[in-house]
Amino acid sequence: MKPYQGYLILLYYIVLIIIGFLASKYIQFILSLALIYAIVAMGLVILIGYCGLISFGQGAFYAIGAYSVGLIYKYAHIENVEILFTIGIIAGTLISILIGLLCIRTRKIAFAMITLAFTMIIYTILLKFYYITGGTDGLRIPIVKIAGFIPFRGRELPISNEYFFIVAIFVVVLYLTTRIINSPFSYTLRMLRDAEVRAISLGISPSKAYLIAFTYSGFLGSIAGTLYAFLNAHIDPSLAYWTTSGEFVFITILGGISSIGGVILASIIYTFLKAYLIAYTAYYWQFAIGIMLLLIVFLSPKGISLIIDKTSRVFYKFIKLYKKTS
Amino acid sequence: MLETLVVTILFNTLIYTIILALISVGLNMILGVLKILNVAHGAFFALGAYTSVTLVKIFLTGGLPIFTTYIALILAGVLSGLIVGILIEPTILRRIYTRIEVYQLLVTYSLALIIEDLIKFIWGPEAKIINEPYLYLGTLNIGGVFYPTYYIFLIIVGSIILFTTYVFLNTTYLGKIIYATAFDKEISLTMGVNVNKIYTYSFIIGTMLTTLGGALMSPTLSLQPGFSSEYIVIAFAIIVIGGLGSVKGAFLASTITALARSITIIIFPELELAILFMIMVTVLLIKPTGLFGG
């Protein structure tokens, strides 16, 4: 890890906040949604890109994060955002450890399928035990308070409070994930992905490493889920449906599997494209996204990260040129 | 009381087995031969169902008697399967056999999205119902339980289709070549098998099975956009339980899950859908390759 990266992340925060001040409330909402998706996708980068494990079960932790917020509000009447947020993350992480212990015993397609099964189990539980979870009606998330007194949804401000909060969490997650990717642990994961038997013979425990990676992605999933609950103010079981998880995997692949910048860009492009396609074409947004996907797969095999790579290469060339001339 | 309970469970199991087997055997065949997990399979199922809506309507408005609509259902299944197979395999899927798994998933996922919206474009987003074939046959008293006779038709036709597929794969020359290609593509190629053609054939057969399933189910359903995503995920669960690529396993897994579901619906209805995935998790933990997987 380069020493200036910590400051770089502070810069991202300031840039995102400035963008928030310039943009309308609608754009802020969609951008917040994109950042939430990016948080989940970063967890999937660790899992898909670095472990080679395709998880179709991120929706499970997403829903657990969101529903623990909703249920705690409904039954314990706690309105403090910090408490709801913390409990949501703890619940999601604990369950991701439990599910992870079972899932990491499988690899490849079996892993994808077992994670899919778990998210569907969570979905059916949320759907069928409607006397607790509200069923398809979902749950309402109230106007929550920070530190007990500030209203979390300040409509009179030019920038919504959720946006501040989500951007702050996003930046912290971004910092954590880049730290993990640049740490020796990520090399352990890469070795396990490429040569598991060799890694075992060198004394690496695959189940331990995979469990940490899985728990981390579950942790990010539950963070995103709680944030989604605050942002959308309404949650329903479709958060745990397999298509939600499919969407996350899809964003990650679109971003080029192992590139953090790529998945963030991919989630922003995807969310904005979806929002505007729904606004203009109502029923046919999936068609446009499907065509776009086919084009990306056939024309740019590495996803959006290829575009980032190329532009950054051009950028570095300019820097070199600049250094030579000065 | 106990008698009616047993009859209900057995009959529900039978209906459910046929439907699940029609979807999952096709999916598993495509996975076994083409080595592609086809996410668009559920969309094909929907396409079969919607085609049968149109064909039955054409038959009825054309003044043909109602019993011909049963032919219309089967015709719709066969036709839509054939058209989809011929259109999609040589143009899109053939380009991705050498790519990594993730991209194959992505391509079939985008195909599913495109087909879902094409369905909305052609048939409109509102719910479609054709229950003429369903109502025409009336009900039947089986051991004190009243069942729509249409289900008997569904069971008979469905078993004929599945049995024909089984016989075709196991006894005919083409069926044996398909097995051989699934087992080892390179060796088949050196033995003079036209692998591209075999891939197209198996894709058409797999697709046709699911479109037939959709067409046969359509009179009992109210067709809405997006209803196929429920079926595809169940089909995934079944092929995982039965073993990836194994036709026999898919059929056995359909029976097991159908039985489990029929029993749970009576005993503990909240877990109706969850039981399927609980079986799936258990099988994956004990034998990650599934019951009949290699």
Side-chain angles (χ1 to χ4, degrees), chain B residues 196-216:
Chain B
N196 277 344
K197 222 179 216 170
I198 294 300
Y199 274 23
T200 315
Y201 288 159
S202 351
F203 187 74
I204 289 172
I205 294 167
T207 311
M208 216 187 268
L209 282 173
T210 187
T211 47
L212 271 168
L216 289 175

Side-chain angles (χ1 to χ4, degrees), chain A residues 33 61 142 231:
Chain A
L33 202 61
F61 313 118
L231 181 72

Side-chain angles (χ1 to χ4, degrees), chain A residues 67-82:
Chain A
Y67 264 87
S68 39
V69 170
L71 290 174
I72 288 162
Y73 170 70
K74 192 179 175 190
Y75 294 106
H77 305 290
I78 294 173
E79 291 190 358
N80 285 30
V81 68
E82 319 74 14

Side-chain angles (χ1 to χ4, degrees), chain A residues 48 54 56 102-103 105-106 108-110 113-114 116-118 120-121 123-125 127-131 241-243 246-247 249-250 253-254 256-257 270 283-291 293-294 296-298 300-303, chain B residues 31 37 39 91-92 95-96 99-103 105-107 109-118 120-121 124-125 226 229-233 236-237 240 244 268-274 277-278 280-281 284-286 288-289:
Chain A
I48 300 179
I54 304 167
F56 271 102
L102 297 172
C103 289
R105 291 162 61 169
T106 55
K108 289 186 174 175
I109 206 120
M113 288 297 137
I114 198 167
L116 181 95
F118 274 114
M120 286 306 288
I121 289 175
Y123 169 74
T124 49
I125 287 171
L127 188 72
K128 299 280 177 180
F129 289 85
Y130 50 85
Y131 37 86
Y241 200 56
W242 72 275
T243 47
E247 220 170 14
V249 173
F250 165 72
I253 297 170
L254 206 63
I257 301 178
Y270 177 80
Y283 294 122
Y284 310 114
W285 65 274
Q286 293 188 358
F287 186 80
I289 284 186
I291 296 280
L293 256 181
L294 280 185
I296 284 180
V297 171
F298 286 129
S300 160
K302 274 187 158 179
Chain B
L31 180 70
L37 188 59
V39 185
T91 52
I92 295 167
R95 292 155 169 266
I96 55 163
R99 303 285 283 274
I100 58 168
E101 255 173 24
V102 178
Y103 287 109
L105 273 181
L106 205 59
V107 166
Y109 181 65
S110 52
L111 271 179
L113 293 178
I114 291 171
I115 293 172
E116 284 276 321
D117 270 15
L118 277 181
K120 274 186 236 166
F121 184 70
S229 64
E230 190 189 325
Y231 286 90
I232 183 66
V233 76
F236 276 170
V240 167
L244 297 175
F268 198 32
E270 276 89 351
L271 289 179
E272 176 219 331
L273 198 57
F277 298 103
M278 286 171 184
M280 181 176 167
V281 168
L284 276 174
L285 288 177
I286 296 167
T289 50

Side-chain angles (χ1 to χ4, degrees), chain B:
Chain B
M1 181 60 207
L2 193 70
E3 267 176 20
T4 53
L5 205 66
V6 170
V7 168
T8 316
I9 289 176
L10 284 181
F11 203 69
N12 282 345
T13 309
L14 210 54
I15 298 166
Y16 211 55
T17 305
I18 297 293
I19 297 159
L20 293 181
L22 278 175
I23 306 171
S24 54
V25 166
L27 182 64
N28 227 355
M29 203 174 142
I30 293 171
L31 180 70
V33 181
L34 277 68
K35 311 276 183 275
I36 282 181
L37 188 59
N38 185 11
V39 185
H41 208 67
F44 296 161
F45 179 79
L47 208 63
Y50 273 99
T51 315
S52 71
V53 169
T54 308
L55 220 57
V56 167
K57 286 241 167 86
I58 289 173
F59 269 50
L60 287 177
T61 49
L64 289 168
I66 260 186
F67 67 85
T68 54
T69 53
Y70 302 104
I71 301 165
L73 290 178
I74 295 167
L75 203 65
V78 172
L79 271 181
S80 52
L82 206 63
I83 292 168
V84 165
I86 290 170
L87 280 182
I88 289 175
E89 202 277 336
T91 52
I92 295 167
L93 292 187
R94 193 166 289 175
R95 292 155 169 266
I96 55 163
Y97 293 138
T98 50
R99 303 285 283 274
I100 58 168
E101 255 173 24
V102 178
Y103 287 109
Q104 295 176 348
L105 273 181
L106 205 59
V107 166
T108 52
Y109 181 65
S110 52
L111 271 179
L113 293 178
I114 291 171
I115 293 172
E116 284 276 321
D117 270 15
L118 277 181
I119 287 174
K120 274 186 236 166
F121 184 70
I122 298 170
W123 284 279
E126 63 276 356
K128 294 272 169 199
I129 297 168
I130 38 146
N131 47 14
E132 285 89 354
Y134 179 71
L135 296 176
Y136 178 67
L137 284 178
T139 53
L140 199 68
N141 186 349
I142 306 166
V145 189
F146 284 94
Y147 265 103
T149 320
Y150 182 79
Y151 283 129
I152 308 281
F153 168 76
L154 201 154
I155 290 170
I156 293 169
V157 175
S159 356
I160 290 171
I161 294 166
L162 287 170
F163 186 70
T164 321
T165 316
Y166 184 77
V167 170
F168 168 75
L169 284 179
N170 282 294
T171 56
T172 61
Y173 182 65
L174 191 60
K176 280 177 183 166
I177 290 183
I178 288 177
Y179 262 124
T181 315
F183 189 70
D184 197 322
K185 186 186 165 187
E186 275 78 24
I187 300 289
S188 313
L189 208 61
T190 58
M191 301 296 273
V193 173
N194 188 344
V195 170
N196 277 344
K197 222 179 216 170
I198 294 300
Y199 274 23
T200 315
Y201 288 159
S202 351
F203 187 74
I204 289 172
I205 294 167
T207 311
M208 216 187 268
L209 282 173
T210 187
T211 47
L212 271 168
L216 289 175
M217 273 296 279
S218 64
T220 65
L221 296 170
S222 148
L223 305 177
Q224 289 158 346
F227 83 99
S228 59
S229 64
E230 190 189 325
Y231 286 90
I232 183 66
V233 76
I234 293 173
F236 276 170
I238 287 166
I239 63 166
V240 167
I241 294 167
L244 297 175
S246 158
V247 172
K248 210 193 296 171
F251 190 78
L252 190 77
S254 306
T255 319
I256 293 171
T257 47
L259 186 64
R261 189 173 179 173
S262 320
I263 294 172
T264 348
I265 276 183
I266 288 167
I267 298 169
F268 198 32
E270 276 89 351
L271 289 179
E272 176 219 331
L273 198 57
I275 190 81
L276 171 63
F277 298 103
M278 286 171 184
I279 296 174
M280 181 176 167
V281 168
T282 320
V283 168
L284 276 174
L285 288 177
I286 296 167
K287 196 165 181 288
T289 50
L291 295 177
F292 279 88

